[in-house]
Amino acid sequence: MCINPMCINEESIVDARGLNRARNSDMEFLSDPLAWWIDPFTSNVFMQRALFAGLLVVLTTSVVGTWVVLRGMSFLGDALAHGVLPGIALAFIIGVNTTIGAFAAAIVMVSGINAIRRYSPLPEDTSIGVLFVGFLALAVVIMSSSSGAYTGDLSRFLFGSITGVDASDLRRQAIAAAVSLGGTAVFYRAFLVMTFDHAQAQVLGLRPRLAHGVLLVLVALSIIASFEAVGNLLVFAFLIAPPATAVLLVRRVPRIMLVAAVVGSVSTVFGLLFSYHYDTAAGATMALATVIVFLVVMTVKALALAVGSRSGSFTPP
């Protein structure tokens, strides 16, 4: 620590500059919205890549997440999001691409869920919970071993590093988004019917067991494609919050997907800008934005229903 008056003055100047920068950022939000909203994306390549990565994450998770929300599979989605951790950890240790490790772990977990669901008399959530705890414990064991002394490096896979994505990451995300859209289009009728009536799907010959397996693969794919951008622990927010918000606003499935994509995109843009101007974690800020939007929409809708019921009570029958 420097006790020289000149050093103290320099430190004070640095602190003052930081404070003034924050104040100027607030002022730009009001007085110069172009500089606050547009310039970060036009003047920084890493922000442009982060924006593209975030929008691809939103596109993938909104389409698949719609089915997760409508079918009440949120716990399954959370389990899959954590279930890929052992594969990531092992791949990191042996020097293999972490995407390959995550995909292998996801396939093992999806197969395990289907096997337990088919042969075990236990409820599905119990079977998922057993695998969830087992895979999470395995990841902790691997990371706590002598070969796993790399937790600092692994944190980017847990919490994301969207500002560090490169062209190859964007290509993988684009492929995953295309597969998710294509898979949803091909199995749309099966997904729709089995969401509301599993027996009817069986009668119509839509092979609901196969469709359920495909849906699990698509959920796993969306998680794997997104974990490097928003983090393995935060991708669940994008998988659930935007579709849940859309369900509060619209009813038809295609509109739910569209509104979810819009909500996720707005949250991504605002989260990136807030992170850029106020030096917060980008992935966490974007995920928090999706949850805030959901809470705001839910609150506004609840208030609107309360006001409507009160006014309706005074109207004549």
Side-chain angles (χ1 to χ4, degrees):
M1 180 178 179
C2 178
I3 59 174
N4 188 307
M6 183 62 69
C7 294
I8 295 175
N9 289 336
E10 290 178 354
E11 292 174 356
S12 300
I13 291 173
V14 170
D15 293 340
R17 285 176 178 173
L19 181 61
N20 287 332
R21 186 175 65 178
R23 289 176 177 173
N24 289 335
S25 180
D26 291 335
M27 293 176 64
E28 285 178 354
F29 181 84
L30 299 173
S31 62
D32 193 357
L34 182 65
W36 202 92
W37 291 94
I38 304 300
D39 286 353
F41 295 119
T42 58
S43 60
N44 298 281
V45 175
F46 73 91
M47 284 289 286
Q48 294 172 6
R49 289 180 175 175
L51 178 61
F52 292 146
L55 294 179
L56 287 172
V57 168
V58 167
L59 180 61
T60 306
T61 55
S62 295
V63 172
V64 177
T66 296
W67 301 114
V68 173
V69 171
L70 291 177
R71 298 197 63 201
M73 297 168 55
S74 298
F75 182 48
L76 173 60
D78 190 23
L80 279 174
H82 291 81
V84 301
L85 282 175
I88 297 173
L90 284 174
F92 202 92
I93 289 177
I94 64 179
V96 178
N97 190 301
T98 52
T99 302
I100 297 176
F103 187 75
I107 292 299
V108 171
M109 188 162 190
V110 167
S111 300
I113 289 173
N114 279 332
I116 294 177
R117 181 171 178 261
R118 184 173 182 179
Y119 298 109
S120 172
L122 296 173
E124 184 176 10
D125 59 342
T126 303
S127 305
I128 295 172
V130 170
L131 288 177
F132 171 46
V133 173
F135 273 68
L136 187 59
L138 177 60
V140 173
V141 168
I142 294 172
M143 288 187 287
S144 63
S145 65
S146 57
S147 300
Y150 53 82
T151 307
D153 294 325
L154 192 62
S155 64
R156 67 170 296 214
F157 302 113
L158 296 175
F159 304 106
S161 180
I162 195 168
T163 54
V165 296
D166 55 24
S168 62
D169 295 326
L170 293 176
R171 283 194 295 270
R172 284 195 295 270
Q173 286 184 276
I175 293 172
V179 172
S180 297
L181 290 173
T184 299
V186 171
F187 286 88
Y188 177 83
R189 186 163 178 258
F191 289 166
L192 182 64
V193 175
M194 74 178 187
T195 295
F196 301 102
D197 193 338
H198 189 277
Q200 183 68 19
Q202 187 73 40
V203 171
L204 294 175
L206 296 176
R207 305 180 68 182
R209 185 174 297 172
L210 173 63
H212 182 75
V214 171
L215 180 58
L216 291 183
V217 172
L218 292 179
V219 173
L221 180 64
S222 66
I223 292 170
I224 293 167
S226 307
F227 77 87
E228 289 191 8
V230 296
N232 180 268
L233 300 181
L234 299 174
V235 66
F236 184 63
F238 282 87
L239 194 67
I240 299 300
T245 304
V247 168
L248 296 176
L249 298 173
V250 293
R251 293 301 177 193
R252 298 186 63 182
V253 173
R255 292 181 180 178
I256 291 174
M257 293 179 178
L258 179 60
V259 173
V262 172
V263 170
S265 299
V266 171
S267 301
T268 295
V269 172
F270 184 79
L272 281 173
L273 288 170
F274 192 94
S275 172
Y276 177 84
H277 290 293
Y278 297 101
D279 197 24
T280 60
T285 306
M286 293 189 306
L288 180 61
T290 64
V291 176
I292 291 174
V293 172
F294 169 76
L295 294 175
V296 169
V297 171
M298 183 182 67
T299 302
V300 170
K301 184 169 183 179
L303 291 175
L305 289 174
V307 172
S309 63
R310 286 184 179 181
S311 60
S313 62
F314 293 98
T315 57

